[in-house]
C-alpha cells in the first residue's frame, strides 16, 4: 500500500471511489460531472491536490486537499474536502495514514492551516482527528449556495 498524488490516468478508479463515498454518505452523484471536475482540478495545481491510496496499483482510498486563501491565517488555507477508504481496507489504519499524508503535504503546498469538517454525531472520526492534532474552534462553518432560496 502506498499514498501519493493522483495521476490523470487514474481518474476512472478515483471516480469509482468517489461514487462509493457519495452513496455511503447519501449525496447525489454524477460520474460525468465528477470526471469533469477531476480533470479540471488535476490540471490546475493551484486548486489543490488529491492523495490516492493504492493497493498494488488499485485505488483503495483517497483524500482531497482544496485550497483557499485566508487573511486571518496568513495566506493559503487548505480544506480536506473528502477522505474515504474502501470498506475492504478499513480498520487497518489507512484513514489515519491518509490524514497524516495530508498533514505532511499541506506545508509543501505552502498552506498555513489545514481544515476539515466532521459531523457532530461522527464520534469515531472526531476522536481520530483530535488524536492527529485537529481542534474545534468557537466558530461554526456556514454555507450559502448561489441560486438557493434565502
Amino acid at each position: 500500500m502506498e499514498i501519493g498524488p493522483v495521476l490523470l490516468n487514474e481518474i476512472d478508479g478515483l471516480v469509482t471511489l468517489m461514487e462509493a463515498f457519495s452513496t455511503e454518505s447519501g449525496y447525489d452523484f454524477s460520474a460525468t460531472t465528477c470526471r469533469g471536475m477531476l480533470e479540471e482540478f488535476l490540471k490546475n495545481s493551484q486548486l489543490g491536490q488529491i492523495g490516492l491510496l493504492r493497493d498494488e496499483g488499485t485505488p483503495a482510498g483517497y483524500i482531497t486537499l482544496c485550497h483557499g486563501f485566508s487573511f486571518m491565517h496568513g495566506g493559503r488555507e487548505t480544506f480536506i474536502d473528502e477522505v474515504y477508504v474502501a470498506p475492504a481496507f478499513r480498520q487497518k489504519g489507512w484513514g489515519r495514514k491518509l490524514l497524516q499524508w495530508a498533514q505532511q503535504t499541506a506545508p509543501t503546498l505552502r498552506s498555513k492551516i489545514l481544515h476539515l469538517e466532521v459531523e457532530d454525531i461522527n464520534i469515531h472520526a472526531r476522536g481520530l482527528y483530535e488524536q492527529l492534532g485537529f481542534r474545534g474552534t468557537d466558530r461554526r462553518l456556514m454555507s450559502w449556495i448561489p441560486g438557493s432560496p434565502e
Side-chain angles (χ1 to χ4, degrees):
M1 297 286 271
E2 57 106 9
I3 302 169
V6 69
L7 306 173
L8 278 171
N9 65 353
E10 296 175 307
I11 285 179
D12 288 341
L14 184 54
V15 168
T16 299
L17 288 174
M18 290 181 147
E19 182 173 21
F21 169 79
S22 295
T23 299
E24 285 182 31
S25 302
Y27 302 139
D28 291 334
F29 185 83
S30 161
T32 302
T33 300
C34 181
R35 186 171 279 103
M37 288 190 302
L38 282 169
E39 288 172 0
E40 177 182 357
F41 187 88
L42 295 174
K43 289 178 182 175
N44 184 350
S45 64
Q46 294 300 309
L47 296 176
Q49 192 170 103
I50 300 173
L52 188 64
L53 172 64
R54 299 171 186 89
D55 178 31
E56 297 181 15
T58 301
Y62 68 94
I63 190 165
T64 59
L65 306 180
C66 301
H67 298 316
F69 192 90
S70 170
F71 288 92
M72 179 187 307
H73 295 295
R76 176 176 278 175
E77 61 184 349
T78 301
F79 282 85
I80 295 174
D81 186 49
E82 295 180 6
V83 59
Y84 179 78
V85 177
F89 300 96
R90 292 182 187 160
Q91 302 300 316
K92 297 176 180 161
W94 291 109
R96 175 184 298 273
K97 294 210 181 296
L98 281 165
L99 290 160
Q100 290 169 328
W101 178 86
Q103 289 174 310
Q104 293 166 0
T105 301
T108 69
L109 301 173
R110 300 183 342 270
S111 185
K112 304 294 185 189
I113 188 167
L114 184 59
H115 302 285
L116 55 76
E117 64 179 326
V118 60
E119 294 175 347
D120 287 337
I121 63 169
N122 196 343
I123 295 169
H124 177 74
R126 271 193 7 227
L128 173 60
Y129 301 153
E130 289 170 356
Q131 287 175 13
L132 292 171
F134 289 90
R135 298 291 176 256
T137 68
D138 59 354
R139 296 173 178 260
R140 180 175 296 274
L141 178 66
M142 299 176 73
S143 303
W144 173 80
I145 300 172
S148 64
E150 291 181 25

